Amino acid sequence: MLEVIKNRRSTRKFKDEKLPKEIIVEILKAGLLAPTSKNKKPVEFIVVEDKETINKLKECKNKGGNGLDTASCAIVVACDCEESDVWVEDASIAASYMQLQVEKLGLGSVWIQIRKRFNDNGDAENQVRNILNIPHYYGIVCVLAVGYKAEYIRKYEDNEIDVSKVHYEKF
Ligand SMILES: Cc1cc2nc3c(=O)[nH]c(=O)nc-3n(C[C@H](O)[C@H](O)[C@H](O)COP(=O)(O)O)c2cc1C
């Protein structure tokens, strides 16, 4: 598992190659199996492969969306805020699980933040909801850009792990 974690790096350039449906399903399974508070499972995913729609998602924020330029697939991570009082945590864990599964499958991904992000037209979450017909009471944590890696970013090495962040018994 630690090898997968060390190898996962944010990928923002992808090959122009469609992902097989089975691969996308394998990624989604990781999100659907992620733990959620009180086991409420309030997280939902919108899979977008249409390039025009992916570009519209990119435009919802002023910067930081470049990973969507070449992505074969965008997975929008939405969560029912009325169902879960800790929806940010629930949705973030599901997104992280999917990112690790993506790496395990030999693909690349990057987290594109949506919550608390804006463009000149306003709130990115609202715009994503409008583009994809997502109900207003769903929060959007992020969009994962996914595809076959077209850039190589080296894995993390053991000497980059900052053990000073760990405290034992007291801070
Ligand atoms: C909460 C969160 C928000 C992020 N938002 C963006 C984003 O909007 N655009 C982007 O390109 N990368 C985004 N990233 C990816 C980070 O920039 C990246 O994880 C970090 O620089 C470390 O690099 P690594 O993923 O290769 O280890 C985000 C990551 C997290 C966890």
Side-chain angles (χ1 to χ4, degrees):
M1 188 65 191
L2 206 49
E3 274 311 298
V4 176
I5 292 172
K6 283 185 197 168
N7 275 304
R8 184 221 53 81
R9 300 301 310 268
S10 293
T11 305
R12 297 180 179 86
K13 287 201 179 91
F14 302 97
K15 292 183 187 163
D16 185 15
E17 227 173 292
K18 212 170 141 54
L19 294 177
K21 194 166 178 356
E22 314 81 73
I23 294 283
I24 297 176
V25 169
E26 287 286 288
I27 296 166
L28 293 165
K29 279 182 188 170
L32 292 165
L33 285 168
T36 59
S37 174
K38 300 179 186 165
N39 204 17
K40 285 192 167 183
K41 303 193 190 307
V43 191
E44 302 193 29
F45 310 98
I46 302 97
V47 179
V48 181
E49 292 182 276
D50 178 67
K51 293 277 179 193
E52 215 172 290
T53 312
I54 292 177
N55 193 50
K56 281 187 192 161
L57 295 173
K58 180 200 166 180
E59 299 296 323
C60 290
K61 53 193 262 171
N62 276 337
K63 53 181 183 158
N66 289 351
L68 288 168
D69 281 342
T70 53
S72 308
C73 171
I75 302 177
V76 179
V77 183
C79 194
D80 185 338
C81 306
E82 291 179 355
E83 182 71 11
S84 172
D85 58 343
V86 289
W87 66 272
V88 176
E89 289 86 339
D90 287 342
S92 298
I93 293 166
S96 296
Y97 267 46
M98 288 194 289
Q99 284 202 279
L100 293 176
Q101 174 69 338
V102 164
E103 177 57 44
K104 176 80 181 162
L105 291 166
L107 308 169
S109 73
V110 63
W111 175 307
I112 310 287
Q113 181 72 18
I114 298 297
R115 199 177 73 87
K116 291 181 179 278
R117 294 293 178 263
F118 299 86
N119 68 8
D120 297 339
N121 297 321
D123 179 51
E125 265 187 281
N126 262 337
Q127 294 174 62
V128 171
R129 277 191 286 260
N130 286 339
I131 294 165
L132 303 175
N133 295 335
I134 300 170
H136 66 89
Y137 52 90
Y138 276 70
I140 318 292
V141 163
C142 66
V143 177
L144 293 184
V146 183
Y148 293 100
K149 295 176 195 175
E151 63 177 348
Y152 171 77
I153 302 169
R154 64 163 186 81
K155 64 181 246 184
Y156 286 111
E157 299 295 339
D158 278 344
N159 61 13
E160 292 172 279
I161 300 173
D162 185 359
V163 291
S164 75
K165 298 278 165 101
V166 182
H167 310 271
Y168 293 94
E169 310 305 342
K170 283 185 181 168
F171 187 87

